[in-house]
Amino acid sequence: CSKITASDAPIIMQMSPFKKPDQLINEKVKRFATVANAAMQRGVDLEPIALREFEKETGHIMFPCVGEHENGWMGASFDGMTLEQDAVCEIKCPGKKDHFSAMNGIIPDKYKAQLQHQMYVSGVHLLFYYSFDGEKGVIIEVKRDEEFIEIMLEKEKEFWESLKILIELRNDT
């Protein structure tokens, strides 16, 4: 609740089919925790398996970690980052439609802001999007999109400033 995270980025950018910015504000102000649904739990359960498969396929050794940007209000959790901190891996264990898109070299738009946020926070210029269906994975290399990041940062900063004001108001009551 004390940071703008990579998971928040698609919501703030209004690219999330799951949640609207006003819902996110409400959750952060009231400090609600997200309850995992079946699809989210599937991803949590498959993620370690997917990470091992990604490492086998690429030869990259990745370590799950959490990072914070030097601005202090942006953070991200990384499904995998190289020891050299020059590449990040984002694992998705999606439904058939999103996995099929990945098999065709397409990352669903709902993930773009999350991936660019992770790249900004980590400072990397290369991110591996890994779609894993429980058996096979698909790797798509993602490059930094500086124009998108600039717009995203503006919207996230505006969201952050609004959030700080609302939290202060809540604390004053």
Side-chain angles (χ1 to χ4, degrees):
C1 290
S2 64
K3 304 256 183 274
I4 300 299
T5 67
S7 299
D8 298 334
I11 301 164
I12 294 167
M13 293 295 291
Q14 298 188 20
M15 299 173 84
S16 171
F18 309 113
K19 198 178 288 183
K20 301 290 179 212
D22 59 329
Q23 292 172 284
L24 181 61
I25 284 267
N26 192 38
E27 288 174 7
K28 286 190 176 280
V29 168
K30 294 181 179 175
R31 299 192 176 272
F32 289 148
T34 302
V35 178
N37 60 30
M40 291 165 70
Q41 190 59 52
R42 178 179 180 270
V44 169
D45 294 342
L46 286 176
E47 195 171 289
I49 299 163
L51 186 58
R52 284 194 302 274
E53 289 301 312
F54 173 84
E55 290 175 331
K56 281 186 213 171
E57 288 180 45
T58 65
H60 290 289
I61 304 301
M62 301 294 231
F63 298 91
C65 62
V66 176
E68 180 181 301
H69 191 269
E70 62 190 28
N71 64 23
W73 57 268
M74 291 175 76
S77 61
F78 307 104
D79 296 334
M81 180 182 276
T82 59
L83 193 56
E84 300 80 18
Q85 299 181 350
D86 61 355
V88 170
C89 175
E90 174 59 27
I91 296 169
K92 296 294 181 192
C93 301
K96 290 179 181 168
K97 181 181 173 189
D98 286 351
H99 188 67
F100 182 76
S101 291
M103 290 171 50
N104 287 292
I106 299 166
I107 298 171
D109 283 342
K110 63 187 172 192
Y111 300 130
K112 181 174 183 167
Q114 178 185 14
L115 304 178
Q116 292 299 319
H117 181 103
Q118 289 177 329
M119 294 177 85
Y120 182 77
V121 169
S122 66
V124 301
H125 289 272
L126 177 62
L127 182 143
F128 297 101
Y129 172 87
Y130 190 63
S131 180
F132 185 69
D133 70 358
E135 295 178 20
K136 289 190 262 179
V138 177
I139 301 167
I140 301 174
E141 288 188 14
V142 179
K143 305 285 188 212
R144 277 176 82 106
D145 182 339
E146 296 296 344
E147 286 181 37
F148 183 88
I149 287 173
E150 190 175 313
I151 294 165
M152 180 185 70
L153 285 173
E154 194 174 299
K155 290 188 179 203
E156 287 186 2
K157 178 76 170 161
E158 183 180 305
F159 185 92
W160 176 248
E161 293 301 327
S162 296
L163 181 61
K164 284 191 333 186
I165 291 167
L166 290 170
I167 289 172
E168 285 175 23
L169 288 172
R170 183 200 70 194
N171 290 340
D172 287 343
T173 58

